[in-house]
Amino acid sequence: MTLKIGVIGTGAIGEDHIRRCMQALSGAQIVAVTDVNLDRARQVADQYAPGAKVPEDGESLIALPEVEAVIVTSWGGTHARYVLEAIRHGKYVFCEKPLATTAADCLKIVEAEAAHGKRLVQVGFMRPYDAGYRALKALIDKGEIGEVLMIHAAHRNQRVGANYKTDMGITDTLVHELDVFRWMLGDDYVSAQVIFPRRSGMAMEHMRDPQIVLLETKKGIRIDVEIFVNCQYGYDIKCAVVGELGEASLPMPPAVELRKSAALSTEIMTDWKERFIAAYDVELQDFINGVKAGKLNGATSWDGYCASVAADACVKAQESGRIEPIEMSARPALYTV
């Protein structure tokens, strides 16, 4: 069976997902594409999915009878609207992060899906599909380092654009760690604090960079994450998990070791899409397979809500300088299995 998919949003990620479905993955066909810029949507459709319909808006695309599942890669502020519309039509939907730009809208999606009585939504958190993170979680689950006590992590970007603001260090950058650590530890957060070290001279005048986020979980695990989005040297993701019996670290991506001119070196990536390209492939293939099987396996609407609540607390901690509590609504029964 070929799953017929409609894509809302043809920016960089949307275009790449369309290419991925049509050229790299199996069992899917893009049958409709739309974007706020319809000329852009037609251009992407002509390049990767000739013959795909280009309806005027996302709601029209979702309503098409031939569209069996939806991928939402539009601007974050539109996500809740399109995901809720897909649920109303009883259609599966893959929504790139964030699920919504507010925790309140995330909760509306959770409640709508719970009322439907079946999981229809997968959120585009790709790190649990990364081979390195999977290997790290498997080692933790086997008890190789005993009970986890601490995590030391870093999320470094070479540089960011002029529109990047200090709070985006949380909402656009840290949000990946907020999700993957919950998944890796099987634990929830209870508090957050943000500390600003000495400001980098490479940061733009309107932002504070780097920053350090301190998290505590229900089990008492302490997590520190360095966010440094103008580090200059490359895109670098680090994660060291400290347990009672030892430490386990996220492996570095494979790179050729070069010996030249009396020096030993390995290349460091600069593009986040390269670092996690395989994870994106595995993630979207899992969505396709899950829709066909009638059972999704990836990040849930509840996961999207939890990440949003934690992000809100971190942003509040940026502003207050205090330890801020992280409090969530009761988890619906739909998300306990």
Side-chain angles (χ1 to χ4, degrees):
M1 182 185 84
T2 298
L3 179 66
K4 296 177 181 177
I5 298 175
V7 178
I8 302 172
T10 55
I13 294 180
E15 178 181 357
D16 205 36
H17 281 341
I18 291 168
R19 175 203 60 77
R20 185 170 278 115
C21 287
M22 295 299 287
Q23 297 181 359
L25 307 181
S26 63
Q29 179 185 2
I30 304 300
V31 298
V33 172
T34 193
D35 189 271
V36 65
N37 182 340
L38 288 176
D39 288 338
R40 167 69 178 170
R42 293 186 187 99
Q43 177 187 351
V44 172
D46 289 344
Q47 184 174 357
Y48 296 108
K53 291 184 177 179
V54 183
E56 290 186 358
D57 52 43
E59 287 86 355
S60 300
L61 180 145
I62 293 166
L64 289 173
E66 62 265 40
V67 170
E68 299 170 320
V70 180
I71 294 175
V72 176
T73 53
S74 52
W75 171 63
T78 66
H79 287 189
R81 160 182 153 200
Y82 294 138
V83 172
L84 287 168
E85 184 70 6
I87 293 172
R88 191 176 74 81
H89 282 266
K91 294 185 178 183
Y92 288 97
V93 55
F94 178 94
C95 180
E96 271 300 343
K97 65 89 181 170
L99 175 63
T101 52
T102 67
D105 278 348
C106 287
L107 191 57
K108 288 179 184 178
I109 292 170
V110 165
E111 291 170 347
E113 191 176 31
H116 180 78
K118 180 183 178 181
R119 270 201 65 191
L120 294 175
V121 181
Q122 180 170 328
V123 184
F125 288 120
M126 100 297 284
R127 288 202 188 175
Y129 290 95
D130 176 71
Y133 277 108
R134 284 181 175 247
L136 190 54
K137 177 173 172 56
L139 189 146
I140 293 168
D141 290 347
K142 286 191 295 184
E144 290 288 340
I145 58 172
E147 294 294 332
V148 175
L149 308 176
M150 298 174 283
I151 293 179
H152 307 298
H155 189 145
R156 297 174 182 163
N157 290 69
Q158 187 175 30
R159 63 182 63 88
V160 291
N163 292 327
Y164 195 99
K165 305 294 191 297
T166 301
D167 65 320
M168 293 172 68
I170 305 298
T171 57
D172 275 34
T173 301
L174 179 74
V175 68
H176 287 288
E177 278 79 12
L178 291 175
D179 174 72
V180 78
F181 293 155
R182 284 186 65 251
W183 166 81
M184 198 163 64
L185 299 172
D187 201 0
D188 281 313
Y189 308 115
V190 296
S191 70
Q193 183 180 9
V194 179
I195 297 170
F196 292 98
R198 180 180 179 181
R199 182 178 172 275
S200 168
M202 299 297 176
M204 289 166 286
E205 290 185 4
H206 65 266
M207 67 177 297
R208 301 177 73 178
D209 184 50
Q211 52 188 297
I212 298 171
V213 178
L214 305 175
L215 300 163
E216 183 181 4
T217 74
K218 286 183 177 180
K219 295 176 184 176
I221 299 169
R222 290 287 186 167
I223 301 169
D224 58 86
V225 187
E226 169 207 315
I227 303 165
F228 189 10
V229 296
N230 293 282
C231 77
Q232 304 301 303
Y233 72 85
Y235 181 72
D236 198 5
I237 303 298
K238 299 177 181 291
C239 178
V241 183
V242 181
E244 299 169 311
L245 305 176
E247 177 184 291
S249 294
L250 184 71
M252 296 296 291
V256 173
E257 187 178 272
L258 175 64
R259 286 173 166 82
K260 184 179 179 181
S261 302
L264 175 64
S265 65
T266 55
E267 186 177 358
I268 296 174
M269 292 181 178
T270 58
D271 189 340
W272 56 267
K273 293 190 294 295
E274 287 183 28
R275 171 63 178 84
F276 290 108
I277 188 169
Y280 279 112
D281 288 349
V282 177
E283 173 191 43
L284 208 51
Q285 186 66 66
D286 187 49
F287 172 72
I288 293 165
N289 296 345
V291 173
K292 290 181 179 182
K295 184 179 185 300
L296 298 180
N297 301 301
T300 66
S301 296
W302 179 255
D303 294 323
Y305 164 74
C306 290
S308 183
V309 171
D312 285 352
C314 291
V315 171
K316 187 175 181 181
Q318 283 181 327
E319 299 165 352
S320 72
R322 297 190 297 267
I323 298 173
E324 297 291 348
I326 298 175
E327 300 171 343
M328 300 177 191
S329 300
R331 185 197 305 250
L334 179 65
Y335 307 103
T336 58
V337 293

